[in-house]
Amino acid sequence: MAWKLADVLGQEEAIGRLRRERLAGRLAHAYMFEGAQGAGKVTFAHGVAAAVLCTTPTADGDACGVCRSCHMLHHANHPDYLELPRDGAELRIGQFVDRSGGAAGDAGEQPLLPFLRLKPVEGDMRVALVPDAERMRAEAANAFLKTLEEPPGQTLILLTVTARDRLPATITSRCRRIGVKPLPDDSIARELAARLNMPEADARELAVTAEGSLGLAERLGSGETLVLWRWLAGEAFARPGLAGAQALADMWLGFGGLDGDNAGKRKNALAALDLTALAVRLRLRQGLDPTAGARILATLWNAADQVTKNVRPDLALVPAAFEIMAVLRAAG
């Protein structure tokens, strides 16, 4: 599927504003898409990137989806577009600044800031996307700030964030912020039923659970994720003792399979923690003690921070599982 603003659901007001800014020649040099996990921030950013890089845009300013530029974006080989990895790991200084004297960063990818200083190859713009920008280490954020303060000409920088308060205010203040709103349950249910070919009643159940996030609803509808979600929502917290803690840790660590590289294991661990936080919020709505709920959510966020900082998933998740069960036992 081509990257297009038409693919973005439920954000008509923000899309209209961006189109007006572009037609008036008033695009900002940096935009920050802010919203819940799975709300469509990256889809929105992809649509903006495609619209800017498209060589034959539609009358309303969207990408055509068929030109050479759109084709290259779709196949992830556009020379004027760079997207940092979305693997859940911290964003390091080597992903922003070339410290090797060559063209590759820490893991062989092209560093972002030297990329932005190059002249466009295909058109008149270079576009870079930093997904989950709150993952930036302090030194990476400081290097990135200098570019935001004095951006190279002919560049557009896009960021997505779930927790804006984890980014330095100096960065957020230099971006034009776009709030990505939660989708209505009815919209999610219709889209989910069409995409996953599932009964409307099942789609509606997942839509209500997903808190306005189509991305989360889609993940909940997949086989293994649905199994973990139903266990978390049903029986995970019914035995707040040592056996329950071990069961929770085992389910987390087994999610997505035990095989795979470190990046895959980290992504699976973060996804399992996100699902658990969703289950805790559901329990809060059902009467869980708010103090206990807050402590459990803090434990989950701390475990996610450790995984993001490359702590081995089992070393972060096992203590978190036992801490959560201790909180539930104390809460009665």
Side-chain angles (χ1 to χ4, degrees):
M1 182 171 59
W3 293 5
K4 302 186 70 172
L5 288 169
D7 297 331
V8 181
L9 300 176
Q11 312 300 328
E12 290 79 10
E13 182 179 346
I15 291 172
R17 177 183 131 195
L18 275 167
R19 284 174 170 159
R20 290 190 297 272
E21 290 175 358
R22 189 181 179 201
L23 289 172
R26 296 200 306 268
L27 273 181
H29 68 277
Y31 286 90
M32 177 180 291
F33 299 88
E34 181 181 5
Q37 194 74 31
K41 302 183 295 295
V42 171
T43 300
F44 202 158
H46 283 171
V48 172
V52 168
L53 293 172
C54 179
T55 54
T56 56
T58 63
D60 62 357
D62 204 350
C64 70
V66 296
C67 70
R68 171 182 165 87
S69 179
C70 289
H71 182 80
M72 287 189 293
L73 274 176
H74 181 63
H75 288 88
N77 60 4
H78 199 299
D80 295 327
Y81 178 79
L82 178 66
E83 180 173 328
L84 294 187
R86 284 184 278 163
D87 61 2
E90 284 186 304
L91 295 173
R92 306 174 304 277
I93 183 68
Q95 293 169 290
F96 290 83
V97 177
D98 181 8
R99 301 184 299 174
S100 65
D106 286 353
E109 67 268 6
Q110 185 174 13
L112 186 143
L113 302 185
F115 165 84
L116 289 174
R117 289 195 290 268
L118 297 173
K119 290 184 178 180
V121 175
E122 290 290 325
D124 58 3
M125 289 287 284
R126 296 215 121 192
V127 181
L129 171 60
V130 183
D132 300 321
E134 60 265 49
R135 294 179 294 142
M136 279 189 275
R137 285 184 176 180
E139 61 272 23
N142 290 335
F144 187 52
L145 175 60
K146 295 177 182 178
T147 295
L148 286 177
E149 290 174 333
E150 300 179 6
Q154 298 177 298
T155 61
L156 177 63
I157 302 170
L158 308 173
L159 298 83
T160 71
V161 296
T162 301
R164 173 165 45 94
D165 57 347
R166 296 178 61 182
L167 268 176
T170 48
I171 287 182
T172 60
S173 65
R174 285 166 173 79
C175 300
R176 192 168 293 173
R177 298 205 300 270
I178 295 178
V180 181
K181 299 184 296 184
L183 291 174
D185 293 344
D186 289 343
S187 297
I188 293 178
R190 284 195 301 270
E191 193 69 21
L192 206 58
R195 292 188 184 187
L196 301 183
N197 192 27
M198 64 167 47
E200 290 185 10
D202 292 345
R204 176 73 183 179
E205 177 188 353
L206 295 179
V208 171
T209 300
E211 299 179 338
S213 167
L214 176 59
L216 175 56
E218 280 196 283
R219 292 197 297 275
L220 288 173
S222 67
E224 189 173 9
T225 303
L226 185 57
V227 169
L228 176 58
W229 164 249
R230 285 179 170 163
W231 184 82
L232 288 168
E235 59 183 284
F237 305 126
R239 296 180 298 157
L242 296 181
Q246 189 61 58
L248 179 58
D250 289 344
M251 289 294 286
W252 281 345
L253 294 172
F255 180 63
L258 297 177
D259 298 327
D261 58 14
N262 289 333
K265 291 178 181 178
R266 184 169 54 241
K267 286 184 70 173
N268 291 334
L270 291 172
L273 291 170
D274 282 342
L275 286 176
T276 308
L278 181 66
V280 172
R281 292 195 294 272
L282 176 63
R283 289 286 296 262
L284 282 167
R285 294 194 293 272
Q286 295 172 342
L288 176 65
D289 175 68
T291 301
R295 289 183 61 190
I296 293 171
L297 289 172
T299 299
L300 293 169
W301 293 331
N302 180 61
D305 274 341
Q306 292 182 57
V307 173
T308 300
K309 293 174 181 176
N310 290 325
V311 173
R312 216 171 68 193
D314 59 324
L315 297 180
L317 270 57
V318 172
F322 280 85
E323 185 174 341
I324 286 170
M325 291 304 170
V327 171
L328 287 173
R329 289 189 68 179

